[in-house]
Coordinates of all heavy atoms in Angstrom, one line a residue:
K268 N 58.5 75.1 54.4 CA 59.0 75.7 55.7 C 59.7 77.0 55.4 O 59.4 78.0 56.0 CB 60.0 74.7 56.3 CG 60.7 75.3 57.5 CD 61.7 74.2 58.0 CE 62.6 74.8 59.1 NZ 63.5 73.7 59.7
W269 N 60.6 77.0 54.4 CA 61.3 78.2 54.1 C 60.5 79.3 53.4 O 60.7 80.5 53.6 CB 62.6 77.9 53.2 CG 63.5 77.1 54.0 CD1 64.2 76.0 53.5 CD2 64.0 77.3 55.3 NE1 65.0 75.4 54.5 CE2 64.9 76.2 55.6 CE3 63.8 78.2 56.3 CZ2 65.6 76.1 56.8 CZ3 64.5 78.1 57.5 CH2 65.3 77.1 57.8
T270 N 59.5 78.9 52.6 CA 58.5 79.9 52.0 C 57.7 80.5 53.1 O 57.6 81.8 53.1 CB 57.6 79.2 51.0 OG1 58.4 78.6 50.0 CG2 56.6 80.2 50.5
D271 N 57.3 79.7 54.1 CA 56.5 80.3 55.2 C 57.4 81.3 56.0 O 57.0 82.3 56.4 CB 56.0 79.2 56.1 CG 55.0 79.7 57.1 OD1 53.8 80.0 56.7 OD2 55.3 79.9 58.3
F272 N 58.6 80.9 56.2 CA 59.6 81.7 57.0 C 59.8 83.0 56.3 O 59.7 84.1 57.0 CB 60.9 80.9 57.2 CG 61.9 81.7 57.9 CD1 61.8 82.0 59.3 CD2 63.1 82.2 57.3 CE1 62.7 82.7 60.0 CE2 64.0 82.9 58.0 CZ 63.8 83.2 59.4
I273 N 60.1 83.1 55.0 CA 60.4 84.3 54.3 C 59.2 85.2 54.3 O 59.3 86.4 54.5 CB 61.0 84.1 52.9 CG1 61.5 85.4 52.3 CG2 59.9 83.5 52.0 CD1 62.2 85.2 51.0
I274 N 58.0 84.6 54.2 CA 56.8 85.5 54.2 C 56.5 86.0 55.6 O 56.2 87.2 55.8 CB 55.6 84.6 53.7 CG1 55.8 84.3 52.2 CG2 54.3 85.4 53.9 CD1 54.8 83.3 51.6
S275 N 56.6 85.1 56.6 CA 56.2 85.5 57.9 C 57.2 86.5 58.6 O 56.9 87.4 59.3 CB 56.0 84.3 58.9 OG 57.2 83.6 59.0
K276 N 58.5 86.3 58.3 CA 59.6 87.1 58.9 C 59.9 88.4 58.1 O 60.1 89.4 58.7 CB 60.8 86.2 59.0 CG 62.0 86.9 59.6 CD 61.9 86.9 61.1 CE 63.2 87.4 61.7 NZ 63.1 87.7 63.1
Y277 N 59.8 88.3 56.8 CA 60.3 89.4 56.0 C 59.2 90.0 55.1 O 59.4 91.0 54.3 CB 61.5 89.0 55.1 CG 62.6 88.6 56.0 CD1 63.0 87.2 56.1 CD2 63.3 89.5 56.8 CE1 64.0 86.8 56.9 CE2 64.3 89.1 57.6 CZ 64.7 87.7 57.7 OH 65.7 87.3 58.5
N278 N 58.0 89.4 55.1 CA 56.8 89.9 54.3 C 57.2 89.9 52.9 O 56.8 90.9 52.2 CB 56.4 91.2 54.9 CG 54.9 91.5 54.5 OD1 54.1 90.6 54.3 ND2 54.6 92.8 54.3
V279 N 57.9 89.0 52.4 CA 58.4 88.9 51.0 C 58.2 87.4 50.5 O 58.3 86.5 51.3 CB 59.9 89.3 50.9 CG1 60.4 89.0 49.5 CG2 60.1 90.7 51.3
N280 N 57.9 87.3 49.3 CA 57.9 85.9 48.7 C 58.5 86.0 47.3 O 57.8 85.9 46.3 CB 56.5 85.3 48.6 CG 56.5 83.9 48.2 OD1 57.6 83.3 48.2 ND2 55.4 83.3 47.9
A281 N 59.8 86.3 47.2 CA 60.5 86.5 46.0 C 61.9 85.9 46.1 O 62.5 86.0 47.2 CB 60.6 88.0 45.6
Q282 N 62.4 85.4 45.1 CA 63.7 84.9 45.0 C 64.4 85.4 43.8 O 63.8 85.6 42.8 CB 63.7 83.3 45.0 CG 63.2 82.7 46.2 CD 61.7 82.7 46.3 OE1 61.0 82.4 45.3 NE2 61.2 83.1 47.4
P283 N 65.7 85.7 43.9 CA 66.5 85.6 45.1 C 66.2 86.7 46.1 O 65.7 87.7 45.8 CB 67.9 85.7 44.6 CG 67.8 86.6 43.4 CD 66.5 86.2 42.8
Y284 N 66.5 86.4 47.4 CA 66.4 87.4 48.5 C 67.5 87.1 49.5 O 67.6 85.9 49.9 CB 65.0 87.2 49.1 CG 64.6 88.4 49.9 CD1 64.4 89.7 49.4 CD2 64.5 88.3 51.3 CE1 64.0 90.8 50.2 CE2 64.1 89.4 52.1 CZ 63.9 90.6 51.5 OH 63.5 91.7 52.3
Y285 N 68.2 88.1 49.8 CA 69.4 88.0 50.6 C 69.2 88.8 51.9 O 68.9 89.9 51.9 CB 70.6 88.4 49.9 CG 70.8 87.8 48.5 CD1 70.6 88.5 47.4 CD2 71.0 86.4 48.4 CE1 70.7 87.9 46.1 CE2 71.1 85.8 47.2 CZ 71.0 86.5 46.0 OH 71.0 85.9 44.8
V286 N 69.4 88.1 53.0 CA 69.3 88.7 54.3 C 70.6 88.4 55.1 O 71.0 87.2 55.2 CB 68.1 88.2 55.2 CG1 68.0 88.9 56.5 CG2 66.8 88.3 54.4
I287 N 71.3 89.4 55.6 CA 72.5 89.2 56.4 C 72.2 89.5 57.8 O 71.8 90.6 58.2 CB 73.6 90.1 55.8 CG1 73.9 89.8 54.4 CG2 74.9 89.9 56.7 CD1 74.9 90.6 53.7
L288 N 72.4 88.5 58.7 CA 72.1 88.6 60.1 C 73.4 88.6 61.0 O 74.3 88.0 60.7 CB 71.3 87.4 60.5 CG 69.9 87.2 59.8 CD1 69.3 85.9 60.3 CD2 69.0 88.4 60.0
G289 N 73.2 89.4 62.1 CA 74.3 89.4 63.1 C 74.0 88.3 64.1 O 73.0 87.5 64.0
P290 N 74.8 88.1 65.1 CA 74.6 87.1 66.1 C 73.3 87.2 66.9 O 72.8 86.2 67.4 CB 75.8 87.2 67.1 CG 76.7 88.2 66.5 CD 76.0 88.9 65.4
D291 N 72.7 88.3 66.9 CA 71.4 88.5 67.6 C 70.2 88.3 66.7 O 69.1 88.5 67.0 CB 71.3 89.9 68.2 CG 71.5 91.0 67.1 OD1 71.6 90.7 65.9 OD2 71.5 92.2 67.5
E292 N 70.5 87.8 65.5 CA 69.5 87.4 64.4 C 68.8 88.6 63.9 O 67.7 88.5 63.3 CB 68.5 86.4 64.9 CG 69.2 85.1 65.3 CD 68.2 84.0 65.7 OE1 67.0 84.2 65.5 OE2 68.7 83.0 66.3
K293 N 69.4 89.8 64.1 CA 68.9 91.1 63.5 C 69.6 91.4 62.2 O 70.8 91.2 62.1 CB 69.0 92.2 64.5 CG 68.1 92.0 65.7 CD 68.1 93.2 66.6 CE 67.2 93.0 67.8 NZ 67.4 94.0 68.8
A294 N 68.9 91.9 61.2 CA 69.5 92.2 59.9 C 70.6 93.3 60.1 O 70.3 94.3 60.8 CB 68.5 92.7 58.9
L295 N 71.7 93.1 59.5 CA 72.8 94.1 59.6 C 72.6 95.2 58.5 O 73.1 96.3 58.7 CB 74.1 93.4 59.3 CG 74.6 92.4 60.3 CD1 75.8 91.6 59.9 CD2 74.9 93.1 61.7
V296 N 71.9 94.9 57.4 CA 71.6 95.9 56.4 C 70.2 95.5 55.8 O 69.7 94.4 56.1 CB 72.6 95.8 55.2 CG1 74.0 96.4 55.7 CG2 72.8 94.4 54.7
E297 N 69.7 96.4 55.1 CA 68.4 96.2 54.4 C 68.6 95.0 53.5 O 69.5 94.9 52.7 CB 68.0 97.4 53.6 CG 66.6 97.3 53.0 CD 65.5 97.4 54.1 OE1 65.7 98.0 55.1 OE2 64.4 96.8 53.8
P298 N 67.7 93.9 53.6 CA 67.8 92.8 52.7 C 67.7 93.2 51.2 O 67.3 94.3 50.9 CB 66.5 92.0 53.0 CG 66.3 92.3 54.5 CD 66.6 93.8 54.5
K299 N 68.2 92.3 50.4 CA 68.4 92.7 48.9 C 67.8 91.6 48.1 O 68.0 90.4 48.4 CB 69.9 92.8 48.7 CG 70.2 93.4 47.3 CD 71.7 93.8 47.3 CE 72.0 94.6 46.1 NZ 71.2 95.8 45.9
G300 N 67.2 92.0 47.0 CA 66.7 91.0 46.0 C 67.6 91.1 44.8 O 68.7 91.4 44.8
L301 N 67.0 90.7 43.7 CA 67.7 90.6 42.4 C 68.3 92.0 42.1 O 67.6 93.0 42.0 CB 66.7 90.2 41.3 CG 67.3 90.1 39.9 CD1 68.4 89.0 39.8 CD2 66.2 90.0 38.8
D302 N 69.6 92.0 41.8 CA 70.4 93.1 41.4 C 71.6 92.6 40.7 O 72.5 92.1 41.4 CB 70.7 94.1 42.5 CG 71.4 95.3 42.1 OD1 71.8 95.5 41.0 OD2 71.5 96.2 43.0
L303 N 71.7 92.7 39.4 CA 72.8 92.2 38.6 C 74.0 93.1 38.6 O 75.0 92.8 37.9 CB 72.3 91.8 37.2 CG 71.3 90.7 37.2 CD1 70.8 90.4 35.8 CD2 71.8 89.4 37.8
N304 N 73.9 94.2 39.3 CA 75.1 95.1 39.3 C 76.0 94.7 40.4 O 75.7 94.7 41.6 CB 74.5 96.6 39.6 CG 75.7 97.6 39.6 OD1 76.6 97.5 40.4 ND2 75.5 98.6 38.8
T305 N 77.2 94.2 40.0 CA 78.2 93.7 40.9 C 78.6 94.7 42.0 O 78.8 94.4 43.2 CB 79.4 93.2 40.2 OG1 79.0 92.2 39.2 CG2 80.4 92.6 41.1
D306 N 78.8 96.0 41.6 CA 79.2 97.0 42.5 C 78.2 97.2 43.6 O 78.5 97.4 44.8 CB 79.4 98.3 41.8 CG 80.7 98.3 40.9 OD1 81.6 97.5 41.2 OD2 80.7 99.1 40.0
N307 N 76.9 97.1 43.3 CA 75.8 97.3 44.3 C 75.9 96.1 45.3 O 75.7 96.3 46.5 CB 74.5 97.3 43.6 CG 74.2 98.5 42.8 OD1 74.9 99.5 43.0 ND2 73.2 98.5 42.0
F308 N 76.2 94.9 44.8 CA 76.3 93.8 45.7 C 77.5 93.8 46.6 O 77.4 93.5 47.8 CB 76.3 92.4 44.9 CG 75.7 91.3 45.6 CD1 74.4 91.1 45.8 CD2 76.6 90.3 46.2 CE1 73.9 90.1 46.6 CE2 76.1 89.3 46.9 CZ 74.7 89.1 47.1
V309 N 78.6 94.3 46.0 CA 79.8 94.5 46.9 C 79.5 95.5 48.0 O 79.9 95.3 49.1 CB 81.0 94.9 46.0 CG1 82.2 95.5 46.8 CG2 81.5 93.8 45.1
N310 N 78.9 96.6 47.6 CA 78.5 97.6 48.6 C 77.6 97.0 49.7 O 77.7 97.3 50.9 CB 77.8 98.8 48.0 CG 78.8 99.6 47.1 OD1 80.0 99.6 47.4 ND2 78.3 100.3 46.1
F311 N 76.6 96.2 49.3 CA 75.7 95.5 50.2 C 76.5 94.7 51.2 O 76.3 94.7 52.4 CB 74.8 94.6 49.4 CG 73.9 93.7 50.1 CD1 72.9 94.1 51.0 CD2 74.1 92.3 49.9 CE1 72.1 93.2 51.7 CE2 73.3 91.4 50.6 CZ 72.3 91.8 51.4
L312 N 77.5 93.9 50.7 CA 78.3 93.0 51.6 C 79.2 93.8 52.5 O 79.3 93.6 53.7 CB 79.1 92.1 50.7 CG 78.3 91.1 49.8 CD1 79.3 90.3 48.9 CD2 77.5 90.1 50.7
D313 N 79.8 94.9 51.9 CA 80.7 95.7 52.7 C 80.0 96.4 53.8 O 80.5 96.6 54.9 CB 81.5 96.7 51.8 CG 82.5 96.0 50.9 OD1 82.9 94.8 51.2 OD2 83.1 96.7 50.0
K314 N 78.8 96.9 53.5 CA 78.0 97.7 54.5 C 77.7 96.7 55.6 O 77.7 97.1 56.8 CB 76.8 98.3 53.9 CG 76.0 99.1 54.8 CD 74.9 99.9 54.2 CE 74.1 100.7 55.2 NZ 72.9 101.3 54.7

């Protein structure tokens, strides 16, 4: 179910993959995959 969802909704089949949604179910920022740089992830969350 979740594999089909990530492929059909985001055209991606990779993990990890992070999507942050607002109440309207629209992405607040560009989704993010593997990135071991902590500062980049903090910026992703803050944005």
Side-chain angles (χ1 to χ4, degrees):
K268 172 183 176 178
W269 295 132
T270 298
D271 191 77
F272 179 70
I273 192 174
I274 293 169
S275 63
K276 182 79 173 170
Y277 301 107
N278 201 31
V279 170
N280 189 13
Q282 293 77 48
Y284 196 67
Y285 308 110
V286 182
I287 301 177
L288 302 175
D291 57 3
E292 298 182 14
K293 293 183 181 174
L295 294 171
V296 290
E297 187 70 28
K299 188 168 196 54
L301 177 68
D302 182 349
L303 297 175
N304 182 303
T305 302
D306 291 336
N307 290 346
F308 206 77
V309 166
N310 290 336
F311 169 68
L312 298 174
D313 287 350
K314 186 174 179 188

